[in-house]
Amino acid sequence: MSNYYLYQDKKRCIGCYSCTIACKTNKNILVGPKPTDIIPVGPKLIDGVPRASYVFMPCFHCENPWCVTACPTGAMQKRPSDGIVVVATDLCVGCKSCMSACPWGTPQWNSETGKVVKCDYCLDRVNEGLSPACVTVCTTQCLHFGKAEEMTDIRRERYARTVAEL
Amino acid sequence: MKKEVYSLCYMCSVRCPIKVTVENDQVKFLEGNPHVSGMEGSICARGAAGIGLLNDYQRVQHPMIRTGPRGSGQWKKATWNEAFDFIGERMNEIIDKNGGQSVAFGERVQLTTPIAKTLMRAIGSPNHFTHDALCRGSVRTATNSLFGYTVTQLSPDYKNTNHLVLYGRNFFEAIEVKGVRNLVEGMEKGAKITYIDPRVTVTATKAHRYWMIRPGTDLALNYGLIHVILKERLYDMEYVDRWVTGLKELQSFIQPYTPDWAEKETGIPSQEITAFARELSRDKPAVIFHYGYRCASHTNEIYMRRSIGILNALMGSMETKGGYFIKKGPGEVGEKKARKLTDQKLPEVDIIRFDKVGTPDFPLPELKFGVAQMLPYAILNEDPYPIKALINHRFDTLLSIPDTTLTKKAFDKLDLIVAIEINYSDTAWYSDVILPESIYLERLDPVHQTDGLIPQMYLQVPAVQPRYDTLEGALILKQIAERLGVGEHFSYETMEDLVRWELEPTGFTLEDFEAKGFVSYTDQQIIWDRKDNIKFKTPSGKIEFVSSMMEDADIQSFPEYEPMPSPPNGQFRLVTGRCALHTHISTQNNPYLNEIVQENVLWINTEKATELHIDNGAWVEVSSKYGSGKIKTFVTDLIHPEAVFLLHGFGHQATMAARSFNKGLADSILQENISDMIGGSPALHHTFVSVKPV
């Protein structure tokens, strides 16, 4: 896996799509590909109240990425320094092998370039020490990004607050 | 060269502070202003899609003059001089013949509003109006009647609340970034949300309590709540004793409106209403009954919104942590607001308005906004006099005012229609001239004064050069003024001249905004002592349950409740609303937003759809007395059987806005133009519709 961890705190997410759109504008892509997306599930009645989940789908940046193995030209790469899986656009021939290989439908077809585009945690921003576009703009700050070992988990804090005898 | 510019978003009317990253005159990234607490990077989907608007070739690129019949889409490109001359020539002729009052100016309230008002005053017309009545007209009147403050002067403290009650205020889809972030923080600390809506929205999925109320009966629910609160003495007695007048009158009025009565009207079980009242009492005073945003649903709207204010007063939540705070201006710390162009000496205009606001016919709505939806009647009936020219500035009159057929008929009586627009809105498309305005990322706007616990000023500054042959609104208005011979009131040459002139009395300069995009008059929050020092601006200085403002105008504070009729068999109450991806009627053609929400669908209850043999996703014809149209269905249990719902803002007819052309159905085609004649808002949920398969 990559050295990074992108965590979606679903309890806070309202499925507003600012992540999806900021991602696209940062990659300068218009209609069609969505390197990150929100998939709403529900609403369903749970204990008499409607509940839904707004599931954020970035790339998982796998330890052994199916897409990298499938890519015949070496365009799909796992960056050795931090494990970010990124497509080198100049090497991509548009064969779509990565799209077939990925179990989660992460690589996206960009019909304007005839190549694949995917979530690379906004490599341009990460290289400058910034967070990915989606995390930066998130309306409710439900997306968290950082070095995996440095991140605290909101769920632990939340649980601690509920059991604290104060 | 990379640079960072602090400015304001204007993808909706909230005007969130933003940071714009620019490289080689291209906007690279848009995010919330990191220096502003509650923004810190956050921006909503519409804000993020601003880059799509900036670079959109489908927005208005040049001044355009119509060459074919209105709405035919036959245009010729014009130079700015040709367009201004065209307008000047025709408008001077109209004014010479019919007087200045025959010109009306409608707009969505914006930072250039004082400029437009100056123009109208200068030509002797009282007929400046805004979109406000269609949005918050009645709720403004309602809070004004109780507190002496309009709703926009009240600021909910979401971060510290114990309980937020929302009546169809779809908080998590009609997004205001700071509010959403503060509420999410509040929820993290234990705030509860009660959401009341005939339809399950994203907000319903986040709420702790959800009631699918019978449409239009929120007032009955509130009367039931007030009944329990008074009977069981669940209110904040100390606060009510100190600040409220008219409690006795309320007590005697509320007697018949028991929770059992409310159950029959609303469909909400009476024991749940009682339990809710008791829970709120435990949570008080950090309780917010939300006044709502678009509060223009029924002809009794004023009383529904007043009942919310009464509940807030009973909980003691006004000027209270976790409740509401009254917004404070720089005057509270002995400082001055920025100057407005209307502060100049301008001719007095002593002519009745087209909407008759300020006369005994319509005494309570605010003069500074007017009542927009009266325009078609004024034009068609020439009552109080003929209106012959209309300027629409970023206001899509045709699709905003209910009953598009009627509005179009009125437009057909006008000799001149001008649109100052960025998009090919339906109104621009039906105009004689379109004057394209630069968008918010390309222009300096007048100063944005924000009152609050800390009074501040913000600036919207140009991040990049205009992409097309467009101008700033304030410069467009100046040019029109010059063509009409009243240019002497517009003594600025550039936007910078204007902003520097506005800032003069404040002691701040344009340069002071560069570091963070805003300036603050103080660093201390201004909070009044809720026990002893709340400056209510009613004549009595108290919260007036029996409103002197209303009684003086011979309007009852507590009229008997009139039951909300159920639709006749086979018909439905038409309910409309918003989603997180679009702002009213203005963003449907944005490439990014259009990609995610391209058209509206008709929500219809599963059981009712089955009775009518309507399948999910099927095309249906929806019709009312006023119009009809075709739309796809969404058959669902997530809506009350008496209602059908569609998103506002679709059904555009301008072919040059190709992505949104003819996608979905406009609610305004179906709606009746009928109003709350006290508060001033149209009753946008008043209309019954039939639905049949096609």
Side-chain angles (χ1 to χ4, degrees):
Chain A
M1 301 294 269
S2 78
N3 299 349
Y4 300 102
Y5 178 35
L6 197 160
Y7 168 62
Q8 182 202 13
D9 180 4
K10 290 194 189 64
K11 199 173 161 160
R12 283 172 86 109
C13 181
I14 56 171
C16 75
Y17 293 93
S18 70
C19 47
T20 304
I21 292 177
C23 166
K24 287 173 65 106
T25 63
N26 191 55
K27 293 211 172 329
N28 202 18
I29 43 184
L30 273 174
V31 178
K34 289 181 193 150
T36 62
D37 202 0
I38 290 277
I39 312 292
V41 182
K44 275 185 184 169
L45 277 188
I46 311 280
D47 297 331
V49 276
R51 288 291 170 256
S53 202
Y54 309 95
V55 183
F56 181 60
M57 293 290 291
C59 172
F60 298 136
H61 300 272
C62 311
E63 179 64 30
N64 291 306
W66 281 261
C67 59
V68 171
T69 312
C71 178
T73 66
M76 195 65 84
Q77 301 163 8
K78 188 175 162 77
R79 191 156 88 155
S81 59
D82 55 12
I84 290 180
V85 179
V86 55
V87 57
T89 309
D90 50 349
L91 296 178
C92 177
V93 293
C95 72
K96 308 182 188 74
S97 302
C98 56
M99 292 170 66
S100 306
C102 175
W104 299 284
T106 297
Q108 299 280 302
W109 181 246
N110 187 347
S111 58
E112 264 182 72
T113 58
K115 292 167 193 280
V116 151
V117 57
K118 73 176 282 296
C119 161
D120 54 9
Y121 283 156
C122 296
L123 211 60
D124 56 321
R125 295 179 59 88
V126 172
N127 288 346
E128 287 181 42
L130 302 168
S131 286
C134 55
V135 177
T136 306
V137 303
C138 176
T139 304
T140 61
Q141 292 191 311
C142 78
L143 296 178
H144 302 265
F145 179 80
K147 292 270 171 65
E149 67 274 18
E150 289 167 8
M151 286 182 61
T152 54
D153 196 320
I154 183 80
R155 288 168 298 187
R156 275 193 171 178
E157 290 170 15
R158 205 176 270 149
Y159 181 69
R161 277 200 301 274
T162 61
V163 296
E165 290 164 2
L166 286 172
Chain B
M1 252 291 280
K2 212 172 191 174
K3 64 169 181 171
E4 287 173 350
V5 180
Y6 296 107
S7 187
L8 292 170
C9 181
Y10 198 44
M11 289 297 287
C12 81
S13 304
V14 174
R15 286 192 197 91
C16 291
I18 53 170
K19 181 173 105 175
V20 188
T21 306
V22 180
E23 210 176 328
N24 303 324
D25 203 37
Q26 296 291 331
V27 172
K28 290 309 214 189
F29 201 63
L30 293 168
E31 63 193 286
N33 183 338
H35 299 296
V36 176
S37 159
M39 292 302 301
E40 291 135 339
S42 294
I43 195 169
C44 76
R46 297 162 300 159
I51 297 177
L53 172 65
L54 177 67
N55 299 321
D56 190 0
Y57 64 94
Q58 289 185 17
R59 66 176 160 115
V60 190
Q61 297 190 19
H62 319 270
M64 302 287 259
I65 296 176
R66 178 170 67 82
T67 54
R70 278 186 186 151
S72 66
Q74 294 166 37
W75 299 98
K76 65 168 186 197
K77 264 194 228 171
T79 65
W80 280 98
N81 267 331
E82 282 166 355
F84 288 131
D85 288 347
F86 180 95
I87 293 165
E89 218 168 275
R90 278 155 188 79
M91 209 169 272
N92 278 320
E93 207 172 289
I94 290 167
I95 294 171
D96 287 348
K97 207 168 141 197
N98 304 283
Q101 73 278 6
S102 63
V103 181
F105 191 110
E107 62 179 320
R108 171 160 295 278
V109 170
Q110 48 199 330
L111 297 173
T112 54
T113 296
I115 321 276
K117 288 189 175 196
T118 303
L119 173 64
M120 296 307 278
R121 285 273 294 277
I123 63 169
S125 173
N127 294 324
H128 177 276
F129 65 95
T130 73
H131 79 290
D132 275 79
L134 302 158
C135 180
R136 293 176 121 180
S138 290
V139 70
R140 278 175 184 277
T141 312
T143 60
N144 213 2
S145 76
L146 287 160
F147 311 114
Y149 288 100
T150 63
V151 66
T152 41
Q153 294 164 299
L154 307 173
S155 173
D157 181 13
Y158 301 116
K159 214 179 209 168
N160 296 302
T161 197
N162 290 329
H163 207 134
L164 172 65
V165 187
L166 302 164
Y167 302 84
R169 163 79 184 97
N170 188 1
F171 204 87
F172 293 128
E173 287 187 270
I175 292 173
E176 177 195 13
V177 173
K178 260 197 221 180
V180 166
R181 276 194 37 170
N182 285 335
L183 179 58
V184 172
E185 288 308 321
M187 289 164 77
E188 214 50 88
K189 292 196 292 180
K192 284 164 284 180
I193 301 175
T194 292
Y195 184 69
I196 302 145
D197 194 323
R199 180 177 73 104
V200 173
T201 62
V202 171
T203 310
T205 70
K206 294 286 170 182
H208 301 81
R209 178 191 276 107
Y210 167 69
W211 280 326
M212 186 181 280
I213 193 169
R214 189 168 78 82
T217 63
D218 307 49
L219 177 58
L221 169 65
N222 282 355
Y223 283 167
L225 282 173
I226 294 170
H227 182 99
V228 179
I229 288 167
L230 293 184
K231 189 174 159 201
E232 300 190 7
R233 298 174 74 79
L234 298 172
Y235 55 95
D236 184 331
M237 284 184 223
E238 200 187 334
Y239 185 94
V240 169
D241 278 352
R242 173 68 183 87
W243 293 115
V244 168
T245 66
L247 184 69
K248 261 197 200 126
E249 288 83 347
L250 177 67
Q251 259 161 340
S252 83
F253 166 76
I254 212 75
Q255 284 303 326
Y257 303 115
T258 61
D260 286 343
W261 168 86
E263 173 176 338
K264 287 192 195 89
E265 184 70 359
T266 63
I268 299 168
S270 86
Q271 66 273 23
E272 287 188 32
I273 296 174
T274 303
F276 182 43
R278 291 174 186 159
E279 183 183 332
L280 288 163
S281 181
R282 289 192 294 275
D283 290 336
K284 74 173 185 304
V287 167
I288 300 165
F289 288 87
H290 200 286
Y291 290 106
Y293 266 26
R294 197 266 299 165
C295 309
S297 300
H298 300 284
T299 51
N300 65 0
E301 199 69 33
I302 175 86
Y303 294 107
M304 157 54 191
R305 301 300 153 182
R306 271 174 54 82
S307 72
I308 295 177
I310 290 169
L311 283 162
N312 280 316
L314 291 172
M315 293 295 114
S317 75
M318 302 304 288
E319 199 62 15
T320 296
K321 191 177 174 189
Y324 279 90
F325 286 113
I326 294 163
K327 294 181 183 174
K328 282 84 178 181
E332 285 293 317
V333 287
E335 301 289 341
K336 288 204 170 61
K337 288 196 174 201
R339 199 151 51 179
K340 290 179 184 164
L341 206 60
T342 38
D343 294 344
Q344 305 171 84
K345 198 168 164 30
L346 293 167
E348 287 305 320
V349 180
D350 194 21
I351 307 170
I352 183 175
R353 290 176 55 90
F354 77 89
D355 50 23
K356 302 188 185 169
V357 172
T359 74
D361 282 7
F362 228 153
L364 301 189
E366 283 178 287
L367 269 171
K368 63 176 175 179
F369 300 121
V371 175
Q373 72 274 16
M374 291 297 145
L375 185 71
Y377 296 116
I379 297 170
L380 287 167
N381 303 331
E382 303 197 345
D383 176 20
Y385 43 72
I387 303 275
K388 288 293 168 194
L390 174 65
I391 305 176
N392 298 285
H393 186 183
R394 299 288 304 278
F395 181 47
D396 197 345
T397 314
L398 272 184
L399 292 194
S400 296
I401 293 180
D403 196 349
T404 305
T405 310
L406 182 81
T407 311
K408 221 171 226 183
K409 211 167 134 196
F411 270 30
D412 291 341
K413 270 192 81 171
L414 295 170
D415 294 339
L416 178 66
I417 309 173
V418 178
I420 304 171
E421 254 296 354
I422 56 171
N423 292 311
Y424 283 104
S425 69
D426 279 42
T427 298
W429 198 243
Y430 209 71
S431 297
D432 304 325
V433 193
I434 313 176
L435 305 175
E437 189 176 16
S438 305
I439 75 155
Y440 67 102
L441 294 165
E442 303 166 322
R443 68 170 199 256
L444 179 62
D445 248 12
V447 174
H448 180 37
Q449 188 94 43
T450 61
D451 291 351
L453 291 183
I454 294 182
Q456 296 176 317
M457 286 186 290
Y458 286 80
L459 270 188
Q460 179 197 293
V461 301
V464 293
Q465 295 293 313
R467 301 289 112 160
Y468 305 114
D469 187 13
T470 58
L471 281 178
E472 296 90 335
L475 297 184
I476 293 175
L477 294 169
K478 174 186 162 75
Q479 290 285 330
I480 295 176
E482 282 174 2
R483 296 302 198 280
L484 300 179
V486 293
E488 74 268 23
H489 303 292
F490 300 77
S491 59
Y492 52 92
E493 292 303 319
T494 63
M495 287 309 297
E496 196 177 314
D497 290 348
L498 176 62
V499 172
R500 286 193 191 281
W501 176 85
E502 288 179 319
L503 285 173
E504 254 172 39
T506 69
F508 292 102
T509 66
L510 199 55
E511 288 69 25
D512 293 332
F513 291 80
E514 279 169 18
K516 295 180 176 176
F518 65 94
V519 294
S520 302
Y521 286 93
T522 168
D523 51 9
Q524 296 291 315
Q525 291 195 337
I526 311 166
I527 296 175
W528 293 332
D529 177 1
R530 72 188 280 277
K531 282 209 168 86
D532 224 27
N533 187 33
I534 313 180
K535 298 168 194 167
F536 291 114
K537 283 196 184 159
T538 50
S540 62
K542 295 200 172 187
I543 300 172
E544 297 186 352
F545 284 179
V546 177
S547 159
S548 45
M549 177 182 126
M550 293 171 73
E551 305 285 322
D552 288 351
D554 275 335
I555 292 166
Q556 289 183 66
S557 297
F558 298 118
E560 195 185 331
Y561 180 85
E562 285 178 29
M564 187 58 65
S566 290
N569 204 17
Q571 291 188 36
F572 301 87
R573 186 176 292 281
L574 179 69
V575 175
T576 70
R578 309 286 185 271
C579 70
L581 276 303
H582 288 294
T583 299
H584 307 303
I585 315 176
S586 64
T587 58
Q588 285 71 27
N589 205 52
N590 179 293
Y592 292 111
L593 301 172
N594 181 275
E595 181 179 14
I596 298 175
V597 179
Q598 204 170 73
E599 63 185 332
N600 57 357
V601 290
L602 188 81
W603 293 46
I604 181 167
N605 179 273
T606 310
E607 216 168 283
K608 293 282 176 183
T610 311
E611 281 171 25
L612 294 168
H613 308 289
I614 291 167
D615 293 330
N616 186 32
W619 283 92
V620 289
E621 185 174 62
V622 191
S623 46
S624 73
K625 268 190 231 164
Y626 310 92
S628 65
K630 291 189 176 67
I631 185 169
K632 282 183 228 164
T633 56
F634 172 50
V635 175
T636 175
D637 292 331
L638 303 174
I639 187 165
H640 193 282
E642 283 192 9
V644 289
F645 168 89
L646 49 79
L647 282 173
H648 174 66
F650 289 84
H652 289 272
Q653 293 304 314
T655 50
M656 277 166 93
R659 299 175 204 103
S660 58
F661 170 68
N662 223 9
K663 291 276 163 60
L665 178 61
D667 49 3
S668 56
I669 298 266
L670 302 163
Q671 289 159 337
E672 177 180 3
N673 186 341
I674 181 171
S675 294
D676 161 9
M677 290 305 289
I678 301 167
S681 284
L684 299 175
H685 294 178
H686 183 82
T687 310
F688 293 143
V689 294
S690 313
V691 183
K692 62 174 190 200
V694 287

